[in-house]
Amino acid sequence: MKLVKIDEIKKVAVLGAGVMGHGIAELAALAGYETYLRDINQEFVDKGMGMVKKSLDKFAEKKRITQEMADQSWKRLHGVVDFDEAVKGADFVIEAIPEVMDLKKKTFKELDEKTPKHAILATNTSTLPISEIASATKRPEKVIGMHFFNPPPLMPLVEIIRGDKTDDETTQTTVEMSKKMGKMVVVCRKDVPGFIVNRLLGPLLAEAARTVERGEATVEEIDSALAYKIGLPMGVFLVADYSGIDTIVKASEETKKRDPMSPGPQKLFVEKANKGEYGWKAGKGFYDWSKGRPSIPTGLGDKLDPVPIFAPVVNAAAWLIRNDVADPQDIDIGVKLGLGYPKGLCELADEWGIDRIVNILKDKEAKYGDYYKVDPLLTQMVSKGHTGVKAGKGFYDYAGAGYTYKATIFKREPPLAWLIFNRPQRLNAINPDLTADLDHALTELWYDNEVRVLILTGAGDRAFCAGADITGFAGGTPNTGFEATRGLQLVTQRMEKFPKPIIAALNGFALGGGLEIAISCDFRLAKEGAFVGQPEIMLGIIPGAGGTQRLSKFVGIGRAKEMVMLGDRVSVEEAHRIGLINRVFPPDKFEEEVKNFAMRLAAGPPIALKMAKYAVNFGTEVPLDIGLVLESGVFSVLFGTEDMVEGTTAFLEKRFPKFKGK
């Protein structure tokens, strides 16, 4: 059977024009595919198409994409009722119909009969087994789970689930398809109930409910502790209200059917569902929604230890790892991007201590039964002394690292190094950990002769860096504000003195402190559709990490004042025109072009590159006469280098020079 590769996919069909379906279709059209959105009647199709148009226009208005990109995407999108028209000639199909197994199997049987034999058939199910859906077809190797999160255009994660017979080629193409849609991906390697994210959400919801049922804490106390101590974007009961308590009960029932050891629907949730108190859509759930989204009170959870609520969740994560369903990295990406955790679950467990988790579970098992039985992996970790950060090893290895990058991913790939701002759930916003990571990366690479270029970029595709994390502003004082700005200012000054080129690869928007970091780099390479800006004025403050000082050097005083005082966002295309951005690349070529640019720099003479950087950066700070003397001085220094000899020799011999930095 013919294998379908990502560059061979031309037509995508999305079945179901509801909330998930129309969002997925929008992503497919934005990714450049001819996309057919199908539902069972014209009313549903029209409503879905209208939501896509509204979303595209909003993205263009907010400058997340250009108006041209929005218009072209809309032209690629076709709303249809006829099933055959939607799927005829489709290379990739994504099903997003109701979560009813018989309906899905019937649909996949029809897809198998009416799509080309090479077509990949994906289901957006969040609960149903992929293998059972695939059994309705004669091509189970080409059936795969592709679980988007709501709303698909905004949520950065796609969870890909292999069925029992899904082959490697189908998995790889689906991963590439998801990335082309701008998503980060985790792969669930086995078709287990709940997959990765929901398998971890279930025990959290269950344990929170049981804690209330036991009288150990109230709903508000738990949500307050989890929101303000752990940093979850919403407490678990507020999440339940938002998701729909009836939906959670149904999903828990489905998971329980497939996995007898799952917690199943909890009494607290069932009682709410039976009363019709489903959450926000009913106007009432655990909270009153009649006046809009409720807020979680601060302070109520101050005396509550949230770790015992998370202990069964860590136990579930250990099961996933031990059974080769996912690794700690996938689990942590899943909960950060799918559930909004500020840190990964395995990272948190290592901080809390694996031995502490085990003791909590043993205590609960003694009181409440086998559900809390400690997973053998956790027992093994404790027996080996791998109890987390304090021991130097837990789910992650901390021993010998000397420094742990907390808010970034550091990759050393000589002659290049990458520092990826890794807070996509906060749009890679700057916090003290990110600043410290950036500072440490500079120190680590300063005298590393094998690395010649440092590249800064952001995780996900939405943001390079959204500026300061304003959630850290609460309770601030003038002194803490001064210290925060001075800390980042000192790091950006070190960037200007760093002896190697630094590239800011703007894979999404760069705002506030994110732009200030970018203009402290030597080069700014941007992806089409991104934008930059200094919006601090709208918060009643001004740029605090060099924006008022450096910006005018690129765009002139007048334009700098406009950007700072109006806070307007500027497209990278316009920023390129006015000299703020060096190059702009199309999305599908961005990473390749950034690497090509970096490799060209890395092939240059390291000492001469350093001297050129210093001459430009510091020569422009002094009168021209002094700057010219500085230029002559560094020029003369280079006459004594082996690289100068190699360069001139290679020129005469008509070959490419091989510079050694000597």
Side-chain angles (χ1 to χ4, degrees):
M1 187 179 293
K2 177 186 175 184
L3 302 178
V4 60
K5 297 181 180 179
I6 190 65
D7 55 1
E8 296 173 340
I9 295 174
K10 306 300 179 185
K11 178 180 177 179
V12 173
V14 179
L15 305 184
V19 173
M20 299 303 294
H22 73 67
I24 295 168
E26 179 181 344
L27 291 169
L30 279 167
Y33 298 111
E34 287 297 318
T35 304
Y36 284 71
L37 177 61
R38 187 262 175 184
D39 214 313
I40 58 175
N41 65 48
Q42 194 63 47
E43 180 185 354
F44 294 165
V45 172
D46 291 345
K47 185 177 179 181
M49 292 290 285
M51 294 301 292
V52 174
K53 186 68 169 67
K54 182 178 179 181
S55 177
L56 289 171
D57 289 344
K58 191 172 184 179
F59 281 162
E61 180 186 344
K62 291 190 171 184
K63 299 188 184 299
R64 280 195 58 187
I65 60 176
T66 64
Q67 188 60 54
E68 182 183 4
M69 291 171 68
D71 294 341
Q72 290 300 317
S73 297
W74 179 247
K75 289 179 182 178
R76 287 191 286 267
L77 187 61
H78 314 277
V80 299
V81 174
D82 186 83
F83 187 93
D84 291 1
E85 182 183 358
V87 305
K88 182 180 179 181
D91 303 299
F92 203 105
V93 180
I94 305 173
E95 165 272 309
I97 64 177
E99 294 279 72
V100 179
M101 178 56 79
D102 288 344
L103 181 59
K104 289 187 184 286
K105 291 176 75 171
K106 179 183 177 182
T107 300
F108 271 74
K109 183 177 186 298
E110 192 172 1
L111 282 172
D112 191 39
E113 295 168 352
K114 295 183 176 180
T115 56
K117 296 302 180 185
H118 69 266
I120 291 174
L121 309 180
T123 172
N124 181 52
T125 183
S126 60
T127 57
L128 300 179
I130 310 303
S131 303
E132 187 173 346
I133 295 172
S135 69
T137 75
K138 296 178 180 178
R139 59 175 105 175
E141 72 282 356
K142 289 190 171 295
V143 177
I144 194 164
M146 198 177 185
H147 178 207
F148 290 81
F149 290 75
N150 190 21
L154 297 179
M155 292 296 283
L157 182 70
V158 169
E159 186 178 29
I160 291 173
I161 308 98
R162 295 182 63 130
D164 293 343
K165 296 182 179 179
T166 307
D167 62 28
D168 292 343
E169 291 77 15
T170 296
T171 303
Q172 183 59 36
T173 300
T174 307
V175 167
E176 292 173 5
M177 166 70 82
S178 302
K179 290 181 177 179
K180 195 166 181 181
M181 289 180 172
K183 302 302 178 185
M184 292 188 71
V185 175
V186 294
V187 176
C188 184
R189 296 192 280 264
K190 294 181 180 178
D191 187 9
V192 300
F195 313 140
I196 298 173
V197 176
N198 284 338
R199 193 176 182 92
L200 299 174
L201 177 60
L204 180 61
L205 292 167
E207 195 59 23
R210 291 181 178 189
T211 302
V212 173
E213 291 167 8
R214 294 170 190 147
E216 297 169 2
T218 66
V219 165
E220 293 80 6
E221 286 170 345
I222 291 173
D223 275 2
S224 183
L226 269 55
Y228 301 115
K229 283 188 173 182
I230 302 298
L232 300 191
M234 290 191 281
V236 287
F237 293 105
L238 193 58
V239 167
D241 272 7
Y242 192 77
S243 303
I245 294 168
D246 54 330
T247 303
I248 289 171
V249 170
K250 183 179 178 181
S252 300
E253 290 171 345
E254 288 293 333
T255 303
K256 187 70 174 178
K257 290 177 186 176
R258 297 180 61 201
D259 181 9
M261 287 304 293
S262 75
Q266 299 302 299
K267 178 182 176 182
L268 191 66
F269 290 105
V270 173
E271 289 176 349
K272 285 286 182 184
N274 289 341
K275 292 178 184 177
E277 297 177 358
Y278 303 140
W280 74 270
K281 61 186 176 184
K284 185 178 180 182
F286 290 107
Y287 293 89
D288 181 0
W289 291 77
S290 61
K291 297 180 181 179
R293 176 175 165 174
S295 59
I296 300 173
T298 59
L300 286 183
D302 287 351
K303 296 181 180 180
L304 179 65
D305 180 5
V307 178
I309 297 174
F310 275 92
V313 191
V314 177
N315 212 32
W319 186 94
L320 289 171
I321 296 166
R322 180 171 58 84
N323 286 279
D324 194 33
V325 178
D327 54 35
Q329 291 82 3
D330 283 336
I331 287 170
D332 284 355
I333 291 171
V335 298
K336 284 192 285 190
L337 299 187
L339 301 177
Y341 283 27
K343 292 185 177 180
L345 178 64
C346 295
E347 293 172 326
L348 288 168
D350 279 352
E351 292 180 8
W352 293 329
I354 306 302
D355 50 343
R356 184 183 177 200
I357 298 292
V358 166
N359 289 335
I360 290 170
L361 289 168
K362 286 181 176 179
D363 182 60
K364 286 179 180 285
E365 182 186 6
K367 291 179 180 178
Y368 309 119
D370 287 345
Y371 168 69
Y372 296 99
K373 188 175 182 64
V374 180
D375 189 88
L377 176 61
L378 297 181
T379 302
Q380 182 185 60
M381 291 171 70
V382 171
S383 69
K384 291 182 176 180
H386 299 166
T387 54
V389 175
K390 62 186 178 184
K393 188 171 184 178
F395 286 112
Y396 295 100
D397 191 350
Y398 305 93
Y403 181 85
T404 301
Y405 287 89
K406 296 179 180 178
T408 63
I409 298 171
F410 177 74
K411 296 196 299 184
R412 183 179 177 278
E413 301 173 349
L416 309 180
W418 302 75
L419 189 70
I420 303 167
F421 303 152
N422 190 34
R423 304 186 73 222
Q425 73 281 11
R426 295 289 190 271
L427 299 175
N428 302 319
I430 301 164
N431 66 357
D433 286 341
L434 191 147
T435 303
D437 286 357
L438 178 53
D439 190 44
H440 190 271
L442 297 174
T443 300
E444 187 168 339
L445 296 172
W446 203 282
Y447 297 109
D448 185 340
N449 292 329
E450 292 184 348
V451 171
R452 296 188 176 187
V453 179
L454 171 61
I455 304 168
L456 308 182
T457 193
D461 80 320
R462 291 189 62 192
F464 168 74
C465 175
D469 190 340
I470 61 173
T471 59
F473 287 4
T477 66
N479 183 59
T480 57
F482 179 84
E483 291 299 328
T485 56
R486 280 301 290 154
L488 187 55
Q489 284 175 357
L490 292 172
V491 174
T492 56
Q493 285 182 292
R494 289 194 74 205
M495 292 168 62
E496 291 179 318
K497 297 173 183 175
F498 187 65
K500 305 168 188 187
I502 304 178
I503 296 171
L506 307 186
N507 57 315
F509 53 77
L511 300 176
L515 180 57
E516 290 172 302
I517 289 174
I519 61 177
S520 302
C521 295
D522 302 297
F523 303 95
R524 284 151 297 284
L525 312 180
K527 182 166 67 174
E528 287 178 1
F531 53 85
V532 299
Q534 298 282 181
E536 292 92 339
I537 200 75
M538 304 309 295
L539 299 176
I541 55 177
I542 66 172
T548 62
Q549 304 303 303
R550 293 190 179 96
L551 198 55
S552 60
K553 296 178 182 178
F554 296 96
V555 301
I557 292 176
R559 192 62 188 265
K561 285 182 178 178
E562 183 179 332
M563 291 181 68
V564 170
M565 294 183 181
L566 293 179
D568 289 343
R569 298 178 178 184
V570 177
S571 71
V572 292
E573 289 77 14
E574 172 65 9
H576 177 252
R577 188 188 70 79
I578 63 177
L580 187 56
I581 299 294
N582 295 90
R583 306 280 178 89
V584 179
F585 301 119
D588 59 339
K589 297 288 186 181
F590 180 67
E591 291 184 14
E592 177 186 351
E593 293 292 353
V594 167
K595 189 168 184 179
N596 289 342
F597 190 95
M599 290 301 291
R600 285 184 61 194
L601 283 171
I607 301 174
L609 287 172
K610 175 175 67 175
M611 293 301 183
K613 175 174 178 172
Y614 288 171
V616 173
N617 282 357
F618 306 126
T620 54
E621 300 292 329
V622 297
L624 178 61
D625 287 348
I626 297 175
L628 291 172
V629 172
L630 172 63
E631 183 179 77
S632 294
V634 296
F635 183 88
S636 64
V637 167
L638 295 172
F639 259 81
T641 64
E642 293 181 18
D643 281 351
M644 182 265 187
V645 174
E646 167 63 12
T648 54
T649 302
F651 176 78
L652 294 172
E653 295 177 354
K654 297 181 180 180
R655 61 175 174 81
F656 288 109
K658 296 180 180 179
F659 297 115
K660 298 180 180 179
K662 297 181 179 179

